[in-house]
Amino acid sequence: MSSTNSDIRSLERIISTLLNKQLQQICSSHGLKTSGVKADLQNRIKNALYENHTSDPANYNAIRNTILNIRGGNSGQQSLPPLPSLTGQSHGGRNTYYNSYNSYQPGGSNMPQLGHNISNGGGAGGSAGYPGASRAPHADNLFKNSPFYTIETRIGHLHTCPVMSNHRNSVTISLKASDYADLGRCATYLPYKVMVFCGGENTGPQDIQFPHQSEIKVNGEDVKHNLRGLKNKPGTTHPVDITPYLRLKQTNYSNTVEFTYALTNKKFYLALYVCKTYSIDELVTKIKGKKISKASVIRDISKKANDSDVVATSQNLSLLCPISWTRLKVPCRGISCNHNQCFDAKSFMQLQEQGPTWSCPQCSKPIHFENLAIDEYVLEVLEKTPDSVQQVTIEPDGRWRTKAEDPEPNRSQPAVSSRIDDDDDLSILSDSRGFNNGTGAPLSGRNTMDTPNRSLLSSGTPNGGARETPTSQRSGNKRPAEVIDLTLSDDDEPPAPPVSMKRQCHGQMPNDLDFPSAYNTY
């Protein structure tokens, strides 16, 4: 190992002996967070050392001196050699991979060159973007970066997986932590992982693609990971994190990575990389830094309303995430999307962590991480409404209201007739002409039976069937009045039920008349 790597390990041993107050003092002196338990403080300082020892030597020296000063009086620490200067000169080393890159090595040192060059997010003092993030000096350009990780260093060679159309084949990779200095970071610094990448080309950058039938074992243990993704769609799966299965703290232990595949019709290429990973919370924080202003949202709504080809009406906006179906917390959408519906940023990133499709869950348009932004209009709606509200109405002018504020519709009640309030109303219809006792002479006036004053004659129909009371005129549960039409002939209608009456008809119906005879009184 190089003298620089030995220097860092010596500093790590010092850090492990310091008290919480001393660790907090170091963090405070160099702009690091001072919260957390002792292990958090130790890892924070170690990470700063690894990130700055090549990208910012001055800052690395400052952290180093602070550690030595706080632990002052210990002769073991004062004996640490000064940090050598870094040069861009490349020297021969025991790993042929390192020889193919311009690696840094301490000037004047005969030790093998360093196999790593750490930077904050892949750039000097910066954070990695997506998809064109800067890479570490030792990282090749074979695979694309992702919002979830930045490729730092390749471990070993690129391995070819020959075509296996009818049989199985295995590719075995052996590695020791003592042979690759970069693996030391993965053992002590949680964000750094050892990952297995696979693709269908030996040039890049390319998406990740594993053979449809494949599996990975590390030290004889199966690695649980979705290697397939979506069929015939490269880039819909992630590289395989094998860090938990490796024994990196045992520097001389020979770890074995076995990749088995079958039924392929083309070559695949396999490689191991050290990657810096990013948590979902870190990615959501990055998304929060980009905004879609409220004014621009209202302007777009008004523009659509003023379109002569579109009838402007109010529209409903759901406050539920279309992915998790829970109320939005971080309303997010693509800046190129034409809809106002948002999805929750954390739920979306969790979905992409399972299977990276990178498409809008609302309109299915392709959407990249750098194009995600917070919708300030929807954010304001969420802040001004209680958690129980799941939907609001947006007017064409951009104003919004909740359902409780909607105007009540005018509901007209059906008119209920109170004309019928007798259970046994009976109306007798007679012809307009009466006849004397069989003489055939017409009577001077209309002679009918006494009927109730409340008659339904006004609603009767012309000569035809029996008259019925319209439904709208029925009141309560009372039985409708029965109407008997006496203008009908015996042939057209069955005989009416017998009714007890005090009057009888003594006349005969003449053959030359159109109407039956009327009833005469005694």
Side-chain angles (χ1 to χ4, degrees), residues 229-246:
L230 299 179
K231 191 173 182 179
N232 298 325
K233 288 189 176 181
T236 55
T237 187
H238 287 292
V240 185
D241 178 15
I242 61 173
T243 311
Y245 303 90
L246 297 174

Side-chain angles (χ1 to χ4, degrees), residues 295-407:
S296 65
V297 175
I298 296 178
R299 184 168 57 252
D300 290 341
I301 294 174
S302 300
K303 182 178 179 180
K304 294 177 182 178
N306 295 329
D307 189 348
S308 58
D309 297 332
V310 178
V311 178
T313 59
S314 60
Q315 56 180 318
N316 293 328
L317 175 67
S318 175
L319 301 182
L320 299 181
C321 173
I323 301 173
S324 62
W325 289 105
T326 57
R327 185 176 162 94
L328 294 168
K329 295 182 179 179
V330 185
C332 163
R333 62 182 175 93
I335 58 177
S336 61
C337 293
N338 296 324
H339 52 80
N340 298 111
Q341 179 63 53
C342 293
F343 47 86
D344 189 76
K346 187 171 184 178
S347 297
F348 181 75
M349 296 310 299
Q350 289 173 340
L351 182 65
Q352 301 311 307
E353 187 180 38
Q354 297 174 8
T357 58
W358 297 106
S359 61
C360 176
Q362 184 67 23
C363 63
S364 300
K365 288 184 178 180
I367 183 172
H368 298 293
F369 176 76
E370 69 272 14
N371 291 333
L372 295 175
I374 303 302
D375 191 318
E376 292 186 332
Y377 180 87
V378 179
L379 182 62
E380 180 184 88
V381 174
L382 291 169
E383 292 173 347
K384 293 186 177 181
T385 55
D387 293 342
S388 58
V389 175
Q390 299 181 353
Q391 179 178 285
V392 296
T393 302
I394 301 178
E395 298 296 340
D397 59 359
R399 293 179 300 172
W400 60 270
R401 66 176 187 274
T402 61
K403 185 177 180 180
E405 298 171 349
D406 290 344

Side-chain angles (χ1 to χ4, degrees), residues 30-320:
H30 298 280
L32 303 176
K33 291 183 179 179
T34 58
S35 60
V37 297
K38 185 174 183 179
D40 294 336
L41 298 173
Q42 291 173 342
N43 288 333
R44 207 166 288 150
I45 298 172
K46 292 176 183 178
N47 296 342
L49 289 172
Y50 276 111
E51 290 178 355
N52 291 280
H53 87 281
T54 53
S55 62
D56 192 351
N59 193 29
Y60 173 83
N61 274 327
I63 299 174
R64 180 178 183 273
N65 292 334
T66 302
I67 296 174
L68 297 179
N69 291 335
I70 289 179
R71 187 63 190 277
N74 191 328
S75 59
Q77 317 319 326
Q78 301 298 330
S79 62
L80 284 175
L83 182 68
S85 60
L86 298 178
T87 68
Q89 183 180 2
S90 177
H91 297 270
R94 56 187 171 185
N95 293 323
T96 57
Y97 162 69
Y98 297 140
N99 294 337
S100 61
Y101 295 89
N102 286 328
S103 303
Y104 291 114
Q105 180 178 352
S109 172
N110 294 323
M111 300 297 291
Q113 60 187 2
L114 290 175
H116 62 279
N117 182 22
I118 308 301
S119 62
N120 186 10
S127 59
Y130 175 81
S134 58
R135 296 169 182 263
H138 297 175
D140 56 24
N141 200 34
L142 188 58
F143 294 96
K144 294 179 181 179
N145 274 324
S146 164
F148 294 98
Y149 58 83
T150 300
I151 299 174
E152 295 285 334
T153 305
R154 190 172 74 188
I155 302 297
H157 299 283
L158 183 66
H159 302 269
T160 302
C161 303
V163 176
M164 285 291 159
S165 57
N166 298 316
H167 305 285
R168 295 165 60 92
N169 187 37
S170 295
V171 176
T172 302
I173 304 173
S174 298
L175 68 157
K176 294 181 180 180
S178 58
D179 292 338
Y180 302 95
D182 299 276
L183 295 178
R185 290 176 287 161
C186 302
T188 57
Y189 185 25
L190 292 179
Y192 282 91
K193 308 289 184 183
V194 180
M195 293 185 171
V196 180
F197 285 71
C198 186
E201 305 290 340
N202 58 359
T203 59
Q206 63 180 317
D207 291 312
I208 296 173
Q209 183 182 17
F210 288 89
H212 194 63
Q213 294 189 17
S214 57
E215 63 181 13
I216 296 177
K217 289 185 178 181
V218 177
N219 295 327
E221 187 175 356
D222 290 330
V223 178
K224 304 298 181 182
H225 188 86
N226 177 21
L227 298 177
R228 294 186 177 184
L230 299 179
K231 191 173 182 179
N232 298 325
K233 288 189 176 181
T236 55
T237 187
H238 287 292
V240 185
D241 178 15
I242 61 173
T243 311
Y245 303 90
L246 297 174
R247 301 176 185 178
L248 299 178
K249 293 185 178 181
Q250 302 176 23
T251 56
N252 292 322
Y253 184 86
S254 179
N255 295 276
T256 301
V257 179
E258 184 179 4
F259 177 69
T260 304
Y261 66 97
L263 305 179
T264 59
N265 54 13
K266 67 175 184 178
K267 290 183 179 180
F268 284 86
Y269 299 89
L270 191 75
L272 303 183
Y273 288 89
V274 172
C275 301
K276 183 177 181 180
T277 60
Y278 304 94
S279 67
I280 290 179
D281 289 338
E282 289 177 312
L283 297 178
V284 171
T285 301
K286 291 183 180 180
I287 296 174
K288 288 180 179 179
K290 292 170 286 186
K291 309 285 186 181
I292 300 176
S293 67
K294 175 184 174 181
S296 65
V297 175
I298 296 178
R299 184 168 57 252
D300 290 341
I301 294 174
S302 300
K303 182 178 179 180
K304 294 177 182 178
N306 295 329
D307 189 348
S308 58
D309 297 332
V310 178
V311 178
T313 59
S314 60
Q315 56 180 318
N316 293 328
L317 175 67
S318 175
L319 301 182
L320 299 181

